[in-house]
Amino acid sequence: MSPHRRPRRTAALVSAAAVTALLATGCSSSGSGSDDPNAKITLSVGDFGTFGYKEAGLFDEYMKAHPNITITENTTTQEGDYWTALQTRLSGGGLDDIQALEVSRIALATSDQLSGAFTDMSKAAGVEKDAYLPWKWQQATTADGRTIGLGTDVGPMAICYRQDLFAAAGLPSDPAQVSALWAGDWAKYVETGRQFQAKAPKGTYFMDTATGLYNGVVSSSAEQYYRKGKLAYQDSAGVRSGWKLAAEAVQAGVTQGLKEFDTPWQTAFSNSTFATTVCPSWQQANIEKFSGPGNAGKWNIAQAPAAGNWGGSFLAVPASGKHVAQAQALAVWLTAPEQQAKVFQKVGNIPANQKAYALPGVTDFTNPYIGPKAPTGQIFSTAAKAITPAETGPHHGDLHGAFSNGVLLMEQNHKSADEAWAATLKQVASSVQ
């Protein structure tokens, strides 16, 4: 999902030696299944969060067209748990026929140590390289030109907000006017939080968590955790800016201090205790799920202060699978524009296949739960096209998680910005080689 809709918990950082061991056992064999194209087989899809395939009826649609194929989905709620389990299965067996890979893991998956565990999807029948966003295709391409995954979605950001709470605090509630409050500057988003908090309805906060703010700032920054192939988190402009603004939000008391995706965060939606959340496209599914029918029509959507990508995933086919050709065919079909458009309309995951943007119900899509009159599809598709992805590296996902947890030290453990920064650097230094 990415995203999307992509609940994530930090997994343990992986050493190069461990990855090499995984590869040695994970791709010791390969298979294409039966030569009989009509042989009855089962294809398993391993993913996390909400990819939307079941919700959009895609598995049923594919099985109806291919009556000899049964599809099972093995879904893990937290991406961190999924990634940990995937590494174990690469080493010990039990891989699914299709494995999802989150964007923060793709640099490691395409590395020399691990990429051989997956097939080259650029050679799969029916794949159209030019249909995918160029930067998305490149993210899953190895140094020697193999593309190990097909993009499912991307995570362009917006700000989702409670228009009723904005109005109660004396702020505009129209999407265009709200977008103008923080246009081009995340610092203005924090300043709007101060204005909201000054007149906020009792028991409400401007934002759910400063970690969301941190992730939004970093995800829209040209420089994040790597610079020219080397770790740069200590002096990265994006990390420093995100940390500074997160600290300001905590100090100003405009954040509820929740941990994203945990139970208190989920119940806060239905309890209406915060007014905004940084909103990658996949977040729409979480808002509707956790806010409940009683809050329908109260949420709306505005442009984020800056374009950036938070989340998004790929479908990869392990080389050791029993039904490689059939798994590739399913992955190609699931990531085709028509199917990605259906997923977007159902759960809000913005397509990585740019041909989907021209299909009805994508760019002109309006979310019946979130801002039924807001140009949701236009906001997200425009943001997707404006994304300039930053350099990533093997430890990107774990670093992102570690610094997010560092922000939580300020929010939940009441550490100062300097104390939390020092603790985060110490934790990262002991884990990253």
Side-chain angles (χ1 to χ4, degrees), residues 81-406:
D81 295 338
Y82 170 87
W83 176 245
T84 299
L86 176 58
Q87 295 173 82
T88 300
R89 289 168 185 159
L90 279 168
S91 176
L95 289 168
D96 289 299
D97 295 289
I98 294 175
Q99 296 282 177
L101 297 171
E102 210 264 349
V103 65
S104 66
R105 314 295 183 182
I106 198 64
L108 180 57
T110 56
S111 67
D112 292 342
Q113 297 100 319
L114 192 55
S115 61
F118 303 103
T119 64
D120 184 358
M121 293 301 296
S122 70
K123 300 185 182 303
V127 169
E128 296 183 52
K129 174 182 177 180
D130 293 341
Y132 297 87
L133 290 165
W135 59 266
K136 183 74 173 182
W137 180 274
Q138 187 59 40
Q139 283 180 326
T141 301
T142 64
D144 60 359
R146 299 172 61 255
T147 301
I148 66 164
L150 298 178
T152 60
D153 65 303
V154 293
M157 296 182 298
I159 300 293
C160 291
Y161 66 97
R162 282 285 297 264
Q163 52 191 358
D164 57 330
L165 297 180
F166 265 47
L171 294 174
S173 57
D174 174 74
Q177 293 178 320
V178 172
S179 298
L181 292 174
W182 48 66
D185 191 349
W186 284 102
K188 292 180 180 178
Y189 176 65
V190 177
E191 178 56 35
T192 302
R194 293 189 178 95
Q195 296 173 28
F196 173 90
Q197 215 63 52
K199 299 181 179 180
K202 185 178 180 180
T204 64
Y205 297 84
F206 178 65
M207 67 181 76
D208 51 346
T209 170
T211 60
L213 168 62
Y214 170 82
N215 285 328
V217 175
V218 174
S219 296
S220 59
S221 299
E223 183 179 76
Q224 299 179 13
Y225 301 102
Y226 285 83
R227 184 188 304 125
K228 296 181 179 179
K230 296 182 179 180
L231 290 166
Y233 56 87
Q234 292 196 51
D235 61 351
S236 160
V239 172
R240 284 288 189 175
S241 177
W243 189 273
K244 177 177 180 292
L245 288 174
E248 289 181 6
V250 173
Q251 292 165 2
V254 304
T255 167
Q256 192 171 348
L258 302 168
K259 183 177 182 180
E260 290 177 299
F261 315 119
D262 276 6
T263 299
W265 179 80
Q266 296 173 10
T267 57
F269 279 99
S270 61
N271 292 336
S272 304
T273 53
F274 62 84
T276 72
T277 182
V278 177
C279 197
S281 53
W282 45 263
Q283 188 78 291
Q284 296 176 87
N286 291 326
I287 291 173
E288 182 172 358
K289 178 180 179 180
F290 299 128
S291 295
N295 286 318
K298 296 179 181 179
W299 283 93
N300 214 318
I301 189 167
Q303 294 176 352
N309 186 71
W310 178 4
S313 296
F314 305 82
L315 294 183
V317 174
S320 59
K322 295 180 179 179
H323 310 291
V324 168
Q326 296 93 329
Q328 287 182 330
L330 175 58
V332 170
W333 185 82
L334 288 171
T335 57
E338 295 79 10
Q339 281 64 256
Q340 291 199 4
K342 292 175 183 177
V343 168
F344 169 63
Q345 292 163 9
K346 197 65 179 178
V347 300
N349 303 343
I350 284 288
N353 191 315
Q354 57 189 339
K355 284 191 173 182
Y357 300 157
L359 297 178
V362 178
T363 301
D364 59 349
F365 175 77
T366 57
N367 189 318
Y369 187 91
I370 303 174
K373 295 183 179 180
T376 308
Q378 182 180 4
I379 287 173
F380 282 122
S381 58
T382 300
K385 294 174 184 177
I387 291 170
T388 302
E391 179 183 350
T392 63
H395 297 296
H396 183 97
D398 297 300
L399 287 164
H400 212 54
F403 279 89
S404 294
N405 287 337

